[in-house]
Amino acid sequence: MQDNNPAFNLPPSTSIKACLFDLDGVLVDTAVYHYKAWKRLANTMGFDFTEEQNEQLKGVSRVESLNKILAWGGVQKTDLEKEELAALKNGWYVDMITKMTPAEVLPGTVDFLTAIHKAGYKLALGSASKNSGIILDKTNLAHFFDEIVDGNMVTKSKPDPEVFLKGAQLLGFAPNECVVFEDAVAGVEAAKRGGMKAIGIGEKSVLIQADLVVSGLDKLTVKDLEEL
């Protein structure tokens, strides 16, 4: 049953009809590029930025990430300076991701997307990244998605469910007919707050709110969606 009403006042659904995917860490791994760009930015301000700190930025917007990094470095900046720093970091990041290739797609991604597409599921991207279009183009994944919702289309960051609710609405399905694929705690929380199922990509001990947790899309089949 499809419904374009934003209120989504439908009874519980017995089956999943739409799949909403985070990008970084689920379909591709761009964390290394974010890390290199943020580290370079931190270094220009006289302090370092660790991989452990980078993990805490999963699913977090660029502005919020910058605020966290400045706090870690004990640095204060004006709003204008923050805008300039965020733009500088993004420029370095874009330079790196424009060199990405389909070889950087995570294992099992293409096979799984192909299988669920053939099975009739509708697919949407739900990412905080404002560079999703570039990444999907360079990795040859764009054609799988019926709708793309990214950081350019939403105002609230995960764990707010806005990005996923927007995706569900564009696809024409109620939240309880959707499953979200996420590698970040904030992303899984966003899915659950939005009334959706969540499949975590990562560690069970971390993604404890997820309905199912696997190490990667290579561990999933269409049957797993049917059994949610």
Side-chain angles (χ1 to χ4, degrees):
M1 180 176 179
Q2 294 190 19
D3 186 0
N4 290 314
N5 185 344
F8 296 123
N9 294 317
L10 292 178
S13 173
T14 57
S15 64
I16 297 298
K17 300 179 177 64
C19 301
L20 306 174
F21 290 83
D22 179 42
L23 179 61
D24 299 346
V26 175
L27 305 176
V28 298
D29 188 4
T30 59
V32 62
Y33 302 125
H34 282 296
Y35 172 63
K36 287 180 178 179
W38 283 129
K39 182 179 176 67
R40 182 176 176 184
L41 189 70
N43 291 165
T44 64
M45 293 184 285
F47 62 94
D48 206 4
F49 173 65
T50 68
E51 291 187 56
E52 289 73 24
Q53 289 170 325
N54 193 56
E55 284 294 306
Q56 297 182 47
L57 304 183
K58 279 187 174 181
V60 179
S61 72
R62 190 185 308 157
V63 173
E64 289 184 30
S65 294
L66 177 59
N67 286 332
K68 285 179 177 288
I69 291 170
L70 292 174
W72 288 328
V75 175
Q76 292 188 339
K77 296 289 184 181
T78 66
D79 289 343
L80 179 58
E81 288 172 329
K82 287 180 182 180
E83 288 181 18
E84 293 170 346
L85 289 171
L88 184 61
K89 178 268 175 182
N90 189 57
W92 292 332
Y93 173 71
V94 171
D95 282 344
M96 288 185 278
I97 63 172
T98 52
K99 299 178 179 65
M100 290 182 73
T101 71
E104 293 181 75
V105 174
L106 290 172
T109 296
V110 173
D111 288 344
F112 183 64
L113 293 181
T114 299
I116 62 175
H117 183 73
K118 286 183 178 179
Y121 291 92
K122 293 297 183 180
L123 280 63
L125 188 79
S127 172
S129 173
K130 292 185 177 181
N131 299 297
S132 297
I134 296 173
I135 296 170
L136 291 177
D137 180 57
K138 293 296 180 180
T139 56
N140 197 29
L141 294 177
H143 66 283
F144 284 111
F145 295 94
D146 299 289
E147 299 289 347
I148 294 175
V149 182
D150 63 15
N152 296 299
M153 300 173 64
V154 295
T155 58
K156 299 173 184 175
S157 299
K158 303 169 189 176
D160 189 283
E162 181 187 17
V163 68
F164 296 134
L165 291 176
K166 181 80 170 178
Q169 185 177 9
L170 288 173
L171 290 177
F173 292 101
N176 56 13
E177 295 176 297
C178 301
V179 59
V180 169
F181 297 78
E182 262 284 357
D183 71 319
V185 172
V188 171
E189 183 180 340
K192 302 306 288 184
R193 284 173 59 180
M196 304 178 186
K197 295 283 190 179
I199 293 181
I201 307 298
E203 300 291 334
K204 290 183 181 179
S205 60
V206 177
L207 304 173
I208 57 176
Q209 284 189 282
D211 296 282
L212 172 67
V213 180
V214 293
S215 60
L217 296 181
D218 56 335
K219 301 298 191 293
L220 292 171
T221 65
V222 171
K223 186 177 180 181
D224 291 312
L225 300 187
E226 295 171 348
E227 295 177 347
L228 279 177

